[in-house]
Amino acid sequence: MAAWVVCALCALVIIKPQEFIPALSGIPLVHAAFGLTLVCVALDVVWRRLKPALAPQVVYALAFLAWAALTTALKRPAALEERGLQLATVAGVFLAVSFAAASPRGLRALAITLVGCAVLTTAVAIVQAFRPYGCMLAAPDDWEGKGELEPDGRPCETNLDCRRDPPVPDGNYRCERPGPLGTSTIDGRVRYRGSLADPNELSLMAGLSIPLAIALAERRAVPRPPRAPGGGRPPRPGRSTSPPGAPGGGRPPAPTSAPSGGAGPRAPAPPCGARVAPALPLLLTDRLLSRAAAALRALPVTAVIVAIGAMVVMSRSRSGVIVYLAVLGLTFIRWSGTLGVIAACFLGPPMLLLGGRSGDEASESSEERVELLREAFEMIRRTRGIGVGAGQFGDESSLGLTAHNSYLLAASETGLLGMCLFALVMYASIKVPLSIWLGDFEVGPAARRFAPAIFVSLCGALIGIFFLSWAYKDVLYMTLGASAALYGAARAEDGRVAVRVSVREVALVCGGMFAVLVLLNVLLRFLG
């Protein structure tokens, strides 16, 4: 029961129906769903449907979010209320997913929810791409068009067309494609709304759902019953297996006589009641039939993968293309080994050619990101490694943007300690599914299926957040919570499941993050 309630909580956070359904506006749906989740988790624990287990990343995640709130209180006390509420919401969603979905049914329900949200947002974005351009009015201070846009019904081709005789004089008009659910494009790039209003973030969220969709399509291999000698089925329980004519056996064999003409003995007739296996055509074998059935079962997930790939191309997100190729490449390699590498090599170049931005727009974006990285290092030096406070990078930046790199964002806002804690959260979350996947544990089919899927999804997140500001992103913490839920489900089935992060691993992770900072600093100095 708690699993489906927490899935509703995740859907509310991602889809945000209260923003486009007027009847739901003003209702605290997220808070109500979170409170109901706590009640359901308590009931499931009392009824022994859930066995709570503390995954290693839970401690690090709570420590990181608490340290982020503390740095904000020290550096920007006026922003503590707003940022503290945001951090508390992220922590609540993370804990709810970690404990409420910690069962085989919970893992499956969570995967269905995340894949369903990705399919819905992808469908909305694809519909956007085929709508005609129209004049849309943005908020007076939203010159980049990142917020909600209201169409006024006038067709257009450029922004200048919308400024000719506008209904609102001096209005902030843009020429964009309107989409379903009150969405719209930004500079012609498809997107969703709310926390996924950025095309790059929408592409990353959809890409992370691909391994979960593949895991849902996989079926548990059911061993076939052994065949009896001669190709027949094994005897059913309770039926005598003695040879005919033996004591306690069946009827004695009927006497055989040679046919007239002396053609030799006739083949013995099958025993009474025995079934004769139907003869299949030579080309229609069991292996061919099983492969055909597997191909039919793979059609829905193939359609999802193709649709997400099309959406990533339409979003013109370079980071989205990289994550899409990474998760598919890891999945192909897991399935086919060398053949998977070859398939990824064939799929990669067209995606890199079609996806992402090019020309002056791409050069301007790259220069902007380089400047943001420089400002991040300047904030680290200016605060002596303590940070400027959670959510304060945009106010401190001359460009008014975030760092577009989660690791440097954590270092510049929460300091070097916060950067290490964030890195340990990612490391522990990846170690859990990898240990369950490769470990010798007696876990159920759900844990065996979702362990590699969550591992591949987190590897994609590890790459994607290098280009996006996802240090406190709710979607990222849902994926991290899925790893913690996997730990709880596996430990409930096998008490030997135990994943720990040693002191040596902590030192290596922190040392690796400092090495990354040094390399980035050297690279920025080399670039000028």
Side-chain angles (χ1 to χ4, degrees):
M1 180 170 59
W4 289 108
V5 177
V6 79
C7 289
L9 173 64
C10 294
L12 289 172
V13 172
I14 297 175
I15 303 299
K16 298 188 181 300
Q18 63 273 19
E19 293 187 1
F20 55 84
I21 300 179
L24 299 179
S25 61
I27 302 177
L29 296 177
V30 175
H31 299 84
F34 179 72
L36 185 58
T37 300
L38 295 180
V39 175
C40 292
V41 168
L43 292 177
D44 283 351
V45 170
V46 171
W47 293 337
R48 297 184 179 179
R49 294 178 180 176
L50 285 177
K51 295 181 180 180
L54 188 64
Q57 65 264 39
V58 173
V59 177
Y60 293 115
L62 295 180
F64 168 69
L65 296 174
W67 178 252
L70 180 59
T71 55
T72 307
L74 294 175
K75 292 296 183 178
R76 192 69 63 87
L80 179 60
E81 182 178 357
E82 178 184 358
R83 297 303 171 185
L85 180 61
Q86 177 191 3
L87 296 174
T89 302
V90 171
V93 171
F94 171 70
L95 290 175
V97 174
S98 301
F99 292 104
S103 65
R105 291 184 179 181
L107 289 174
R108 187 172 183 272
L110 181 62
I112 292 174
T113 301
L114 296 180
V115 173
C117 292
V119 169
L120 176 60
T121 54
T122 298
V124 169
I126 292 177
V127 172
Q128 275 181 16
F130 294 97
R131 291 281 181 88
Y133 281 98
C135 294
M136 310 193 75
L137 181 64
D141 57 344
D142 186 15
W143 293 106
E144 295 183 355
K146 293 186 176 181
E148 295 185 13
L149 304 179
E150 183 180 353
D152 64 0
R154 295 182 298 159
C156 63
E157 294 182 0
T158 63
N159 292 337
L160 293 177
D161 297 336
C162 298
R163 295 170 186 164
R164 296 171 184 169
D165 301 327
V168 179
D170 299 329
N172 185 9
Y173 281 98
R174 300 182 63 87
C175 185
E176 299 289 353
R177 298 179 186 268
L181 308 182
T183 60
S184 62
T185 60
I186 175 172
D187 295 330
R189 304 170 63 191
V190 297
R191 60 173 181 167
Y192 189 62
R193 60 184 304 131
S195 60
L196 301 179
D198 184 88
N200 300 312
E201 298 186 356
L202 173 61
S203 299
L204 178 54
M205 187 277 295
L208 298 184
S209 70
I210 291 177
L212 301 178
I214 295 175
L216 289 172
E218 292 177 350
R219 268 192 179 181
R220 183 181 65 174
V222 180
R224 295 185 178 184
R227 290 184 177 271
R233 293 189 176 185
R236 282 180 279 180
R239 177 165 293 192
S240 173
T241 57
S242 302
R251 298 180 181 179
T256 59
S257 58
S260 58
R266 185 187 305 173
C272 181
R275 296 182 180 180
V276 180
L280 295 176
L282 293 178
L283 297 179
L284 195 62
T285 62
D286 288 346
R287 186 177 182 182
L288 179 61
L289 290 175
S290 63
R291 287 189 173 184
L296 291 176
R297 290 195 304 267
L299 285 178
V301 69
T302 303
V304 170
I305 294 173
V306 172
I308 292 177
M311 183 272 294
V312 170
V313 171
M314 294 173 184
S315 69
R316 304 204 301 269
S317 171
R318 290 173 291 183
S319 59
V321 171
I322 294 173
V323 172
Y324 183 83
L325 293 177
V327 295
L328 282 186
L330 290 174
T331 302
F332 289 162
I333 292 172
R334 181 171 72 90
W335 279 353
S336 306
T338 307
L339 294 178
V341 177
I342 297 175
C345 291
F346 276 102
L347 181 64
M351 287 290 297
L352 293 174
L353 182 63
L354 296 174
R357 290 173 286 178
S358 59
D360 295 338
E361 185 182 6
S363 300
E364 183 181 352
S365 176
S366 299
E367 293 175 0
E368 188 178 77
R369 288 173 182 260
V370 170
E371 182 61 29
L372 290 171
L373 294 181
R374 289 197 182 98
E375 291 186 343
F377 280 106
E378 179 60 30
M379 293 179 195
I380 296 173
R381 284 190 289 265
R382 190 173 71 244
T383 59
R384 298 181 180 179
I386 298 177
V388 297
Q392 305 307 309
F393 190 99
D395 295 337
E396 299 287 337
S397 170
S398 61
L399 301 177
L401 301 175
T402 56
H404 285 74
N405 184 302
S406 297
Y407 307 103
L408 271 182
L409 179 68
S412 59
E413 291 190 345
T414 63
L416 299 179
L417 177 59
M419 176 194 69
C420 293
L421 289 174
F422 180 73
L424 287 170
V425 173
M426 299 301 301
Y427 174 77
S429 299
I430 289 179
K431 184 178 180 181
V432 166
L434 184 63
S435 301
I436 296 174
W437 177 19
L438 302 180
D440 186 18
F441 300 121
E442 297 294 332
V443 297
R448 286 199 302 267
R449 276 191 303 160
F450 286 110
I454 294 175
F455 171 76
V456 173
S457 182
L458 285 172
C459 287
L462 196 70
I463 299 171
I465 64 176
F466 191 84
F467 307 98
L468 294 176
S469 301
W470 270 37
Y472 326 103
K473 194 70 173 181
D474 44 22
V475 178
L476 174 63
Y477 282 86
M478 290 178 194
T479 311
L480 301 177
S483 173
L486 172 67
Y487 180 83
R491 187 167 176 79
E493 295 173 336
D494 188 347
R496 297 178 300 144
V497 175
V499 181
R500 300 288 183 268
V501 179
S502 64
V503 177
R504 180 173 177 270
E505 290 173 306
V506 171
L508 289 176
V509 170
C510 295
M513 287 305 304
F514 282 108
V516 170
L517 286 183
V518 173
L519 290 176
L520 284 176
N521 196 10
V522 171
L523 179 61
L524 290 176
R525 291 180 181 274
F526 175 76
L527 292 176

